[in-house]
Amino acid sequence: MELTNSILLAVILINFFTLGSARLGACVRIVAVQGALLALLPIMVHGVTLHSTLLAAGAFCFKGVIIPWMLLRAIQRVRIRREMEPIVGFVPTLILGTLTTAGTFLFADFLPLISAHHEGLYVPTALATIFSGFLLLITRRKAITLVLGYLILENGIFIFGVLLSEALPLMVETGVLLDLLVGVFVMGIVMDQISREFSTLNTERLSALKE
Amino acid sequence: MLVFLIVFPLIIALCSLVIPWYQVRSWLLPIVSAVHLLLSGMLVLGRFPVTGDWIGLDALSQLVLVVTSVLFFGCAVYAVGYLDLRRDRGNQTMVPCLLIFLAVMTLAIAARHLGLLWVAVEATTIASAPLIYFNRNRLSIEATWKYLMICSVGIALAMLGILFIAYAALGGGTPVSLQFDTLLAQAPQLSKPWLHAGFVFLLVGFGTKMGLAPLHSWKPDAYGEAPGMIGALLAGGLTSVAFLGVLRGVQLMAAAGDGGMARQALLGMGLLSLALAAVFMVRQPDIKRLLAYSSVEHMGLLAIGVGIGGVAAFAAMLHLVNNALTKGCLFLAAGNVQRAYTSKNLAEVRGAIGALPVSGTLFLAAFLAITGSPPFGPFLSEFTMLRGIFGGEHYVIGMLVLVLLAMVFIGMGATVLTSTQGAPSATTAGFRDRWLLCISPLGFILLVLILGLYIPEPLREALQRAADLLEVHP
C-alpha cells in the first residue's frame, strides 16, 4: 500500500512537471518515467499473475520505452528544444493543474466507489492525470506537447483500467496498447510533414481551414 | 466465417505491399470488397453461424455490415478509376490503408465485447488518417492533424466510459465483464451513477467519431480535404459504425431501465447538430464542406430518430441505409466535379452539368435525394421519422425539425444549383466523365431510388428487428 501510494504520488508530481516545464526533451523523458511507473501498478494491485506480469511488461515496453523513444527522435529530427509561447503561460497552467488535482481529491470522496477503493489514491490520481492531459492539450501549441498531453490522458485512463483488469482480457489490453503505439507513430509522421511544410511545429499555423 | 471476413482484407493488405504492378494493386480493392460483400450477404442471410463471445452479428450489426460492405464495394470500383488518374500520388499507401480500414470497420461492427469495439474503432481512426492525407498539401496536413487529435482524444474518452461501465458492474456486485450479452443480461443490477457516467462518456467519444454537434469540428476539414471517395467512406461507412457504438450504449441504458435518459441526451445532441448544420450550410461556398455539414445534419437526424423511439427509431434505421448510399453518390460525384474544375469552390465551379453531363446530373440528383425530395429513399425515411415524431405528440420538436430541414434545403440548394446549372466556366482541364468514375455513384443513386419506391419485405423485417433491439426489454 505504502509503495503503491508513493508511485501514485510520483505520477502526480510528474503531471506537475510537464505542466510547468518548457523543455520538450525533459518532458518526454519524464512522461517515459511516468509510463514505466504505471507499469508497476498491475503487479501491485493483482500480485504476480500471468495477466498482470504480461500487462506490466507490455505497458513498460510501450509507454516507458518505445513511444518516448519515437518522440525523442521526432524532436531531434525537427530540432526543437523548447515550448516557446504556450497559449496559457506555465504558471497559470500550474495553478490550474493544482486546482484540478485538489478538486479531484475532494471529488473522489463523493464518488460511489466500492469499499476496497475508498482508501487508495487510485481514483483521484487517475482523474487528476486525465485532467492534466487535457490541460496540456488545451494550453500548448507545439504538436509534440499535444501528443504528450494525449499520452498523459491515456496514462490516466490506464490507472483507472488497472482497477478493472478482470474486465479487460489480455487480448483487449494488447489491442489498446498497440493502438496507442501505432497512433503515436502516425502522429509522428504527420508532425514530420507539418515541420517540413510549415517549417515549424506550432499548430497555430494550422488555421487555414475555417468558415 | 466472420473471422475470415475480418482477416481476409488484412492478408490482402499485406500482399498489396509486395505486389509491384500498379494496376493489379488497384484492382485488388474491388476484388476484395466483392468477396466481402458476397460473404456479408451470406452471413446476414444466415448461411453460417454468427454468434460468439467476441464477435457475432445481431440485427443492428447485420444492417451496418451490409450497408458498409455495399458502400465500400462501390467506392472500391471508383478507386480503380481514381487511382489511375492519380499516378503521381501512387497507391502504395492508399490500397493497404483502405483494406485495413475495411477490416477494422468489420471488426468494429461485429465486436461483441466493448473493449474489442473500442480497439477496432480507434484502429479505424489510425487507418483512415493516411487516407485523408492522400493529397499531401498544407491543407490536407492540417485536416489530418485535427482529425487525428480530436478523434483520438474523443475515443480515449469513450474508453473511460467503457471503464465506468465495467466499474458499474463492480459497484453492482456482479461479475465484471465487458462482454456485451453478459452486460445486457446483468444491466438491471449495474450501479446507476457509474452506468450513467459511462453512457455520457460513450456518447461523447463515439459522438465525436460520428460527428454529432458540438463535437463535429474535425468533420468539414477532413471531408473537405480528403479525396471524394474517402469522404464517401467516412460519411457513409465510418459514421454508421460510430453510430453503432452509440447505439450499444443506448441498448445498455434501455436494458438497465434508463432508456429515457439516453434518449433525451440523443435528442438534444441531434437537434443541436441539425441546427448547427443548417446555419453553416447557408451560403457555404465550398461544395465538399457543404457535404460535410450535410453529414452532421443527417447524423443529427439519426440521433433524433433513436431519441424519439418507436416508429421514428425504425425510420432512423432506414435513414442510416439511405444516408450512407446517398452520401456515397454525393461525394463521388463531387469528387469528379472537383477534378474537372480543379476546385471545389463556388467561385470557380459553375455549370457542372454542361461540363460533366453524367457526374453533374448525379450530383444534382443526389442533392435532391439527400434533402428529402420524393421519390428518393431519404424522403421516405424522413417522412416516416416525422410521422413518428408527430405521432408521439412531440409537436415542438417536429416543427423545429421541419423548419430546419427546409433551411437545409434552401442553403444546400443555393450552392448546388449554382454549381451545376448555367454555362460552364471555362476551367475544365480536359477531364471527361468516364465509366469507372460514374458507375458507382449511378449505382448508389439507383439503389436510393429503389428504396424510395419499394422496400422489400425482408429488409423491412430486418429494419424492424434492429429498431426493436433499442426498445426496453423486460
Side-chain angles (χ1 to χ4, degrees):
Chain A
M1 204 64 191
E2 283 289 299
L3 187 57
T4 318
N5 282 348
S6 0
I7 292 178
L8 291 171
L9 283 176
V11 167
I12 292 180
L13 287 178
I14 289 173
N15 293 340
F16 285 134
F17 182 91
T18 50
L19 285 177
S21 172
R23 288 178 302 149
L24 291 174
C27 281
V28 173
R29 288 194 187 89
I30 202 83
V31 171
V33 174
Q34 189 177 50
L37 283 175
L38 292 184
L40 293 173
L41 291 178
I43 297 180
M44 296 288 175
V45 177
H46 302 284
V48 182
T49 62
L50 184 66
H51 183 157
S52 68
T53 319
L54 284 176
L55 179 58
F60 180 79
C61 289
F62 283 32
K63 287 180 188 285
V65 181
I66 303 178
I67 292 176
W69 174 73
M70 289 192 319
L71 286 178
L72 281 177
R73 277 200 40 191
I75 293 179
Q76 277 162 9
R77 266 201 311 272
V78 298
R79 295 191 200 83
I80 293 177
R81 299 261 185 296
R82 301 174 76 84
E83 167 81 48
M84 291 309 277
E85 57 277 331
I87 298 170
V88 179
F90 294 108
V91 178
T93 1
L94 264 179
I95 295 172
L96 276 173
T98 319
L99 287 178
T100 49
T101 307
T104 52
F105 272 83
L106 292 175
F107 176 64
D109 278 343
F110 296 101
L111 284 177
L113 298 172
I114 62 167
S115 52
H117 297 156
H118 261 304
E119 290 298 308
L121 296 177
Y122 272 98
V123 178
T125 310
L127 293 177
T129 310
I130 291 170
F131 278 120
S132 303
F134 258 114
L135 268 178
L136 273 186
L137 280 168
I138 296 165
T139 59
R140 298 297 194 260
R141 286 185 215 263
K142 288 269 191 292
I144 289 244
T145 335
L146 298 184
V147 176
L148 274 182
Y150 171 63
L151 278 181
I152 292 176
L153 174 69
E154 286 274 356
N155 281 349
I157 294 172
F158 181 85
I159 301 176
F160 197 80
V162 167
L163 294 179
L164 296 158
S165 58
E166 60 265 49
L168 296 171
L170 209 52
M171 201 167 97
V172 174
E173 297 270 20
T174 317
V176 173
L177 286 172
L178 268 179
D179 269 345
L180 185 66
L181 178 73
V182 182
V184 173
F185 178 71
V186 174
M187 286 174 194
I189 294 175
V190 180
M191 274 195 286
D192 254 14
Q193 304 295 335
I194 293 177
S195 68
R196 190 169 306 160
E197 276 288 331
F198 297 87
S199 49
T200 170
L201 261 187
N202 273 7
T203 47
E204 84 213 70
R205 296 285 294 277
L206 301 177
S207 58
L209 296 173
K210 55 178 180 247
E211 293 308 329
Chain B
M1 203 62 205
L2 198 49
V3 177
F4 179 74
L5 200 61
I6 297 162
V7 176
F8 172 64
L10 280 182
I11 295 172
I12 304 293
L14 284 180
C15 297
S16 75
L17 289 173
V18 292
I19 289 177
W21 307 286
Y22 192 90
Q23 279 297 20
V24 175
R25 209 180 301 129
S26 294
W27 276 99
L28 280 178
L29 287 171
I31 294 167
V32 170
S33 57
V35 173
H36 189 272
L37 181 59
L38 194 71
L39 288 177
S40 311
M42 283 161 82
L43 280 171
V44 169
L45 294 174
R47 293 281 181 270
F48 302 99
V50 282
T51 46
D53 278 351
W54 287 95
I55 49 175
L57 292 176
D58 60 3
L60 278 170
S61 39
Q62 284 178 350
L63 189 68
V64 180
L65 179 66
V66 172
V67 169
T68 317
S69 198
V70 170
L71 185 71
F72 196 93
F73 177 66
C75 290
V77 173
Y78 180 91
V80 177
Y82 180 76
L83 288 171
D84 195 35
L85 287 175
R86 300 301 306 272
R87 282 182 183 261
D88 54 322
R89 278 275 74 103
N91 63 1
Q92 289 87 346
T93 341
M94 180 70 116
V95 172
C97 280
L98 271 173
L99 291 172
I100 295 171
F101 186 56
L102 176 66
V104 285
M105 272 210 294
T106 314
L107 179 62
I109 293 167
R112 297 302 291 170
H113 187 283
L114 289 183
L116 193 62
L117 173 70
W118 186 90
V119 170
V121 172
E122 169 67 8
T124 60
T125 311
I126 301 168
S128 51
L131 301 174
I132 295 175
Y133 183 50
F134 183 68
N135 284 319
R136 294 193 210 162
N137 53 36
R138 288 187 161 209
L139 297 178
S140 66
I141 291 179
E142 180 181 341
T144 311
W145 177 253
K146 285 182 182 166
Y147 172 72
L148 205 53
M149 285 315 284
I150 296 175
C151 284
S152 298
V153 171
I155 289 295
L157 292 180
M159 184 75 212
L160 197 61
I162 290 171
L163 290 176
F164 281 175
I165 289 172
Y167 206 91
L170 202 63
T174 48
V176 181
S177 165
L178 284 173
Q179 209 280 324
F180 196 63
D181 301 300
T182 320
L183 266 180
L184 278 183
Q186 53 180 233
Q189 284 100 51
L190 295 178
S191 153
K192 293 280 165 172
W194 287 104
L195 177 63
H196 294 173
F199 173 74
V200 170
F201 277 98
L202 269 190
L203 183 61
V204 169
F206 290 127
T208 310
K209 193 85 196 186
M210 193 179 150
L212 280 174
L215 309 160
H216 67 287
S217 55
W218 58 272
K219 217 169 186 177
D221 301 347
Y223 290 8
E225 299 314 314
M229 86 180 156
I230 304 303
L233 283 174
L234 294 178
L238 190 55
T239 48
S240 306
V241 173
F243 185 52
L244 186 65
V246 173
L247 292 182
R248 295 300 183 211
V250 175
Q251 269 184 286
L252 207 54
M253 289 286 278
D258 286 325
M261 185 190 149
R263 283 168 204 286
Q264 286 288 327
L266 274 176
L267 200 55
M269 282 181 96
L271 283 171
L272 184 64
S273 305
L274 200 54
L276 255 166
V279 170
F280 280 100
M281 275 160 94
V282 176
R283 305 181 74 85
Q284 174 62 254
D286 184 317
I287 55 174
K288 273 163 105 183
R289 290 178 79 86
L290 180 78
L291 298 188
Y293 283 112
S294 166
S295 176
V296 175
E297 172 214 343
H298 287 274
M299 290 303 115
L301 280 177
L302 292 183
I304 292 172
V306 174
I308 297 286
V311 180
F314 171 83
M317 294 301 119
L318 179 59
H319 196 64
L320 187 144
V321 181
N322 283 326
N323 171 54
L325 296 177
T326 319
K327 278 285 158 28
C329 179
L330 266 176
F331 271 99
L332 297 185
N336 290 347
V337 172
Q338 185 187 2
R339 189 118 291 274
Y341 287 87
T342 55
S343 164
K344 56 193 172 70
N345 200 294
L346 214 49
E348 283 96 30
V349 182
R350 300 271 162 163
I353 291 187
L356 297 171
V358 183
S359 300
T361 314
L362 283 172
F363 188 53
L364 185 63
F367 148 71
L368 289 174
I370 202 75
T371 44
S373 319
F376 294 102
F379 167 72
L380 193 62
S381 47
E382 285 177 14
F383 186 76
T384 315
M385 192 176 292
L386 281 168
R387 206 160 53 94
I389 297 174
F390 282 110
E393 302 188 337
H394 303 281
Y395 297 113
V396 181
I397 296 174
M399 286 313 293
L400 202 59
V401 171
L402 268 177
V403 170
L404 289 171
L405 283 179
M407 202 168 140
V408 166
F409 183 82
I410 296 167
M412 200 170 174
T415 302
V416 174
L417 290 177
T418 326
S419 64
T420 49
Q421 305 288 318
S425 47
T427 46
T428 41
F431 177 87
R432 291 284 169 270
D433 280 321
R434 48 195 80 194
W435 73 274
L436 263 178
L437 295 182
C438 292
I439 186 100
S440 300
L442 186 66
F444 287 146
I445 200 76
L446 285 178
L447 276 176
V448 173
L449 185 62
I450 292 170
L451 282 177
L453 298 173
Y454 166 70
I455 298 179
E457 199 49 38
L459 177 64
R460 184 186 296 280
E461 280 167 17
L463 293 170
Q464 193 57 56
R465 276 202 309 273
D468 284 344
L469 279 183
L470 300 171
E471 303 297 322
V472 183
H473 291 289

